[in-house]
Every structure is written in C-alpha cells, then in structure tokens.
Amino acid sequence: MQLKNYLTRTRGIVTISPGMGEINKRRASSLHFLLILLVIAFPILTAVSISQNLIKITYASMAGDAIILASLVLTRMGHTTIPSYLVPFGLLAVNATILFYGQGTYDISMLGLPITIAIGGLLLGKRSALALSGLSIICFGGIYWAEARGLTPNIGDFKRHVSIIDLIVGLVLLITTAVFIYYVMSSLSGSLASIQEHEQALQKANGD
C-alpha cells in the first residue's frame, strides 16, 4: 500500500505534458521510481569497485552513475523518451564493460543482462525487449568467446574453467527472460487496449 501511495506521489513529481496519455503517465512514473532505485544502488557498486581498486570497472560504474543522473533530471523535467532508451541500452553497455574487465561469464554482473531486458520491455515494450535480448546474447557470446581464448583481462584465472556449458546456461537464461517479458508485455498491451476501447465506448455513450 505504501509503495502504491509513493507511485501516486511520483506521478505528481514528474512534469507531465498535457497531451500525454494515461499509459505514458504511468510509464513516466515507473521510470522515475526505477531511477530513484538506481540512484541508490549504482553508487554502492561504484564504491565497491573503488575499494577493490578496480580502475576500469570503476570508470564503467561511474558512466552508469552519469547515465542514471542525467536520465533522472530529464525525467523530472518531463522528457521521458530519451531516458526510456538511455537507461536500458546504456546500462547494457556498462554491464558488458564490467563483464569484460571483470570475471567474464563468472562475474555476478551477469545478473544485469536479464535485468536490462526486463527494464527495456517494461519501459519500451516487447520489441525493445527482443532487441535488448539480441544485444545481450551478442555481448555474452562475445565475452565467452574472448574469455575462452584468453583475450579478456580477467581478474583471476578463469580461462581453464570456461566450457560450453557456461555458454549454454547463459543463453538459456537470456532467451527464457526474453520470451517471458515478451509474453507479459503482449498480455499487458492487449489488456490496456481492451480497457481503452471500453473507456472510449463509455465516453461515447455518455456523450450521446
């Protein structure tokens, strides 16, 4: 209940354009709420990488911080289109960089790939979820290929542990996430379309 109340207040914080529909209003408030969470979470990741003296990973985390802050400012000004694309695609690039310079397919940052697919689907729809899925698969496959050949600056000796099983498990995870998000967004789109048609019919009936 408290979360619902917060989301309601959030819709008042974000500057809404007069012509923005109800769906876009809800998407804007969801984007703002997501950015608040990321503003809290990402600096913690940056602090951890600094404490471990992971220079390149720190730079990548700081780039993520900049993306999130810029998106938050734009969103609060009422410009939601750019942040809606910048957040999922920008964080995917940041995540791929962390994986490459970190522990590759064994890095805990692997969890970020399905998360970016989910974020893209929720903010931009099912087609963007598929696009992010494809990019995530390319990033993961590329990192696996480079790691298996000793081309990544791994922290630790992971080259001898890399196997085709790692690739299969990662691909199954990403594809499953993509299919699930696509199905959920398709169902939501159908439900919202039915609701809009019903509201329009009611307005027309009341007008008559």
Side-chain angles (χ1 to χ4, degrees), residues 105-181:
T105 55
Y106 291 89
D107 201 302
I108 191 65
S109 297
M110 263 293 299
L111 295 175
L113 295 180
I115 290 174
T116 55
I117 295 173
I119 290 174
L122 293 172
L123 294 180
L124 298 170
K126 56 187 180 182
R127 291 183 179 179
S128 293
L130 290 180
L132 283 162
S133 300
L135 290 174
S136 296
I137 290 172
I138 292 172
C139 290
F140 176 73
I143 291 171
Y144 168 84
W145 179 86
E147 188 177 26
R149 286 157 180 76
L151 301 178
T152 56
N154 288 336
I155 301 169
D157 182 19
F158 289 95
K159 179 182 176 182
R160 60 191 177 89
H161 299 294
V162 176
S163 70
I164 192 66
I165 301 298
D166 302 316
L167 179 63
I168 293 173
V169 171
L171 292 179
V172 168
L173 175 64
L174 294 175
I175 293 172
T176 301
T177 302
V179 171
F180 177 72
I181 295 299

Side-chain angles (χ1 to χ4, degrees), residues 64-128:
D65 294 331
I67 289 171
I68 294 165
L69 287 174
S71 297
L72 180 59
V73 171
L74 288 171
T75 300
R76 296 194 65 151
M77 293 173 61
H79 305 293
T80 59
T81 301
I82 293 176
S84 294
Y85 284 91
L86 185 60
V87 170
F89 287 96
L91 293 185
L92 174 60
V94 169
N95 199 24
T97 303
I98 292 175
L99 287 173
F100 182 80
Y101 287 105
Q103 298 173 358
T105 55
Y106 291 89
D107 201 302
I108 191 65
S109 297
M110 263 293 299
L111 295 175
L113 295 180
I115 290 174
T116 55
I117 295 173
I119 290 174
L122 293 172
L123 294 180
L124 298 170
K126 56 187 180 182
R127 291 183 179 179
S128 293

